[in-house]
Amino acid sequence: MIDEFKYGCFKVDGKVHMESIKLLGTRVRFWESDNKEITIPHIKELVEYKPDLLVIGLGAGGLLTLAENVQMHIHQNRVKYTAKHNDEAIKIYNKALAEGKKVAAIFPNRG
């Protein structure tokens, strides 16, 4: 569960992360983000996880974009997804997790 998000910082299950993050269920991993565009290599591991829902955070201001081929890659793998500003995406992630769904997510710490 993501407890809190402030520009540049996530608090996940009580632990602070000062970097962009990927989540496979509740397992947190560092994500090397360029804070401009989300590409297939960024989401490949998440799609392979075969979640019920893939949540893509586009940054605090929604400044990140999805590379042209990302949506096609997600659809080809039959994964349901949503892409929103971080605040809204975090709410969706937390709700899906609370409902017991298998969820994966990616959140940039800026943008």
Side-chain angles (χ1 to χ4, degrees), residues 2-25:
I2 300 174
D3 305 316
E4 185 178 0
F5 167 70
K6 292 182 181 175
Y7 189 78
C9 177
F10 296 92
K11 189 174 185 183
V12 183
D13 293 328
K15 185 175 179 187
V16 175
H17 300 272
M18 301 294 288
E19 65 273 340
S20 299
I21 58 173
K22 286 183 181 182
L23 296 114
L24 297 170

Side-chain angles (χ1 to χ4, degrees), residues 5-52:
F5 167 70
K6 292 182 181 175
Y7 189 78
C9 177
F10 296 92
K11 189 174 185 183
V12 183
D13 293 328
K15 185 175 179 187
V16 175
H17 300 272
M18 301 294 288
E19 65 273 340
S20 299
I21 58 173
K22 286 183 181 182
L23 296 114
L24 297 170
T26 59
R27 194 172 70 221
V28 182
R29 294 186 174 192
F30 167 73
W31 168 41
E32 183 79 36
S33 165
D34 66 7
N35 291 310
K36 291 185 173 114
E37 184 176 62
I38 296 172
T39 63
I40 289 176
H42 293 143
I43 62 156
K44 187 174 193 258
E45 176 183 25
L46 303 174
V47 170
E48 289 172 354
Y49 182 66
K50 298 290 185 196
D52 298 324

Side-chain angles (χ1 to χ4, degrees), residues 1-2 26 90-103:
M1 179 85 55
I2 300 174
T26 59
I90 287 168
K91 289 177 189 172
I92 293 167
Y93 166 82
N94 283 342
K95 182 176 185 239
L97 205 60
E99 292 172 351
K101 292 183 180 173
K102 183 178 181 182
V103 61

Side-chain angles (χ1 to χ4, degrees), residues 59-106:
L63 300 177
L64 270 78
T65 59
L66 298 179
E68 200 172 288
N69 57 355
V70 167
Q71 290 181 29
M72 184 181 353
H73 177 73
I74 294 169
H75 288 297
Q76 286 173 341
N77 284 278
R78 295 183 172 90
V79 172
K80 182 179 173 187
Y81 83 100
T82 186
K84 306 275 185 190
H85 288 84
N86 277 4
D87 285 340
E88 184 64 26
I90 287 168
K91 289 177 189 172
I92 293 167
Y93 166 82
N94 283 342
K95 182 176 185 239
L97 205 60
E99 292 172 351
K101 292 183 180 173
K102 183 178 181 182
V103 61
I106 189 167

Side-chain angles (χ1 to χ4, degrees), residues 48-62:
E48 289 172 354
Y49 182 66
K50 298 290 185 196
D52 298 324
L53 178 64
L54 170 59
V55 180
I56 300 172
L58 299 174

